Amino acid sequence: MTTRTPWRPTALIAGLVLLTASCGGGTTKSDVAQQSSAPAATAASSAAADPNAPLKQGLKIAFLPKQVNNPYFTIADNGGIEAAKEFGGEGKEVGPSDASASSQVSYINTLMQQKQDAIVISANDPNAVVPALKQARAAGIKVVSYDSDTAAEGRDVFVNQAGAEDLGRTEVQLLAEQIDHKGKIAVLSATPNATNQNTWIEFMKDELKKPEYKDMELVKVAYGNDDDQKSFTETQGLLRSYPDLAGIISPTTVGIAAAARYLSDSPSKGKVKLTGLGTPNQLRKFVKDGTIEAFELWNPADLGYLASYAAAALASGQITGAEGEKFKAGKLGEYTVGAKGEVLLGKPTVFNKDNIDKFDF
Ligand code: RAM
């Protein structure tokens, strides 16, 4: 696999990389059970891949994010639509305005009726979307999950933004450094069913079992449902319930932005530490005003771009989703399908006051 390294890591990232490497990068049981689920579905392997097949022209590729009014998905899906333009296809984004479990089903049915060539989906729930996706696949539509995986039978390939284990563990490490490995911590997540957040949280809990975190206690996992107002209120609730809270990890761009807004305007600013996953543009001012020291993310545009090329490679017969198949993803280079139909974008970047101004997304 070729992974683009467009960003210059800081010493902190280098340290994190070493740390995560020494934690072992293997896929664990919970990884298999969740974000990167069981073996790639059978429909995917029914035809042989032809690595030399040209990308078909005029492919219709639909992006179905968890929700449409989330800047993270706007960036990702624009990246995917841009890629579709490059290979002579037609990309579009459709989707619900809330990230609830079954909100995507009616969209899948409509996309099937429209005879799209591929659906690229970030699943709000690993299972709720599967019956509709199975029907779409039976009708010849290729399915790529990106960002948040479906159960394996729902898709041909999963384009993962970063190793789930690395993400879960590094978020705990980031917060631990900021609170001196001491005190009560909470997680402010997205929806309770989100495949990606739930997988990362499992790895956070596993990381916290290590002796170096013996003085840290995870007191609560709260759910802001990737809704700005609910995430804001949940943050307020956490601080009320745990006045001695030392820090919050919010592994969602919606959650961390709302929590930062709350903290920056409260006496806890800079005292209750906040980290997680966010976009530099949404969090820049909170890094500058001292609410946030460091957080992480991958490049969402690259995620959408890679998912778009994966969808085109599937729809053109270049790949079927079987391990070892290779395809080219335009400016990002060549990628290989890994175990369980997973394609990995690469490592995330840690942002802090020293590097945040180098990023514009
Ligand atoms: C939110 C969504 C998305 C997640 C990012 C980090 O935008 O929950 O699924 O990957 O945060």
Side-chain angles (χ1 to χ4, degrees):
M1 185 192 79
T2 309
T3 316
R4 205 170 61 126
T5 322
W7 305 329
R8 241 171 282 125
T10 60
L12 176 57
I13 306 172
L16 277 170
V17 169
L18 281 176
L19 203 52
T20 49
S22 66
C23 292
T27 307
T28 70
K29 260 195 197 147
S30 55
D31 196 14
V32 170
Q34 300 175 56
Q35 177 80 344
S36 164
S37 26
T42 43
S45 39
S46 54
D50 175 4
N52 298 318
L55 288 188
K56 288 184 183 161
Q57 287 298 292
L59 289 173
K60 289 193 280 179
I61 310 219
F63 290 81
L64 178 46
K66 282 179 171 177
Q67 55 184 154
V68 285
N69 52 352
N70 173 343
Y72 165 84
F73 283 114
T74 307
I75 305 168
D77 296 345
N78 282 341
I81 292 165
E82 201 50 50
K85 269 190 210 140
E86 270 177 29
F87 55 71
E90 225 180 278
K92 69 170 177 182
E93 184 201 58
V94 293
S97 55
D98 70 278
S100 62
S102 57
S103 60
Q104 293 168 311
V105 172
S106 64
Y107 289 90
I108 298 168
N109 293 335
T110 305
L111 293 171
M112 192 170 80
Q113 282 155 16
Q114 292 172 349
K115 298 193 178 4
Q116 296 287 316
D117 293 291
I119 297 174
V120 180
I121 180 170
S122 170
N124 279 322
D125 180 293
N127 302 309
V129 288
V130 166
L133 287 177
K134 271 178 151 175
Q135 278 186 13
R137 295 184 71 202
I141 297 174
K142 300 298 176 190
V143 177
V144 173
S145 57
Y146 73 133
D147 181 71
S148 182
D149 201 5
T150 66
E153 61 270 31
R155 48 75 170 169
D156 297 280
V157 154
F158 169 46
V159 178
N160 197 355
Q161 49 269 56
E165 177 163 4
D166 266 17
L167 278 178
R169 295 193 190 285
T170 54
E171 282 167 58
V172 170
Q173 290 155 12
L174 270 177
L175 184 61
E177 277 173 26
Q178 297 175 27
I179 62 171
D180 253 351
H181 289 76
K182 277 191 208 81
K184 293 183 179 157
I185 66 165
V187 170
L188 174 65
S189 189
T191 58
N193 294 352
T195 327
N196 50 349
Q197 271 87 11
N198 286 342
T199 308
W200 301 331
I201 292 168
E202 282 311 306
F203 282 113
M204 289 178 203
K205 289 181 177 163
D206 194 60
E207 180 68 11
L208 284 166
K209 287 184 190 147
K210 293 182 181 166
E212 58 263 45
Y213 307 109
K214 66 175 180 356
D215 297 327
M216 279 169 63
E217 187 195 355
L218 175 61
V219 290
K220 169 106 177 156
V221 177
Y223 297 95
N225 293 351
D226 270 352
D227 175 84
D228 175 72
Q229 197 46 49
K230 177 147 172 61
S231 304
F232 188 89
T233 318
E234 288 291 326
T235 309
Q236 191 173 32
L238 284 174
L239 293 179
R240 284 205 182 129
S241 307
Y242 306 97
D244 55 346
L245 198 68
I248 299 173
I249 300 175
S250 187
T252 140
T253 59
V254 180
I256 195 171
R261 206 170 70 246
Y262 179 81
L263 286 175
S264 72
D265 222 11
S266 85
S268 303
K269 175 178 169 187
K271 292 187 191 129
V272 174
K273 303 293 180 182
L274 173 65
T275 190
L277 304 174
T279 66
N281 286 355
Q282 280 185 291
L283 299 186
R284 190 178 328 277
K285 69 170 184 242
F286 302 113
V287 167
K288 300 215 165 174
D289 78 4
T291 306
I292 296 181
E293 275 178 36
F295 64 98
E296 318 181 73
L297 201 69
W298 47 92
N299 184 332
D302 285 352
L303 180 67
Y305 184 94
L306 176 57
S308 198
Y309 268 96
L314 283 163
S316 305
Q318 269 181 12
I319 59 170
T320 63
E323 186 172 357
E325 293 171 349
K326 293 182 191 311
F327 65 99
K328 290 205 174 60
K331 64 179 180 190
L332 296 180
E334 188 177 74
Y335 281 79
T336 304
V337 180
K340 301 169 203 77
E342 182 174 321
V343 177
L344 189 64
L345 177 67
K347 283 208 168 282
T349 293
V350 175
F351 307 97
N352 56 30
K353 66 174 172 15
D354 298 329
N355 69 356
I356 194 152
D357 281 337
K358 293 186 191 137
F359 304 96
D360 184 15
F361 62 83

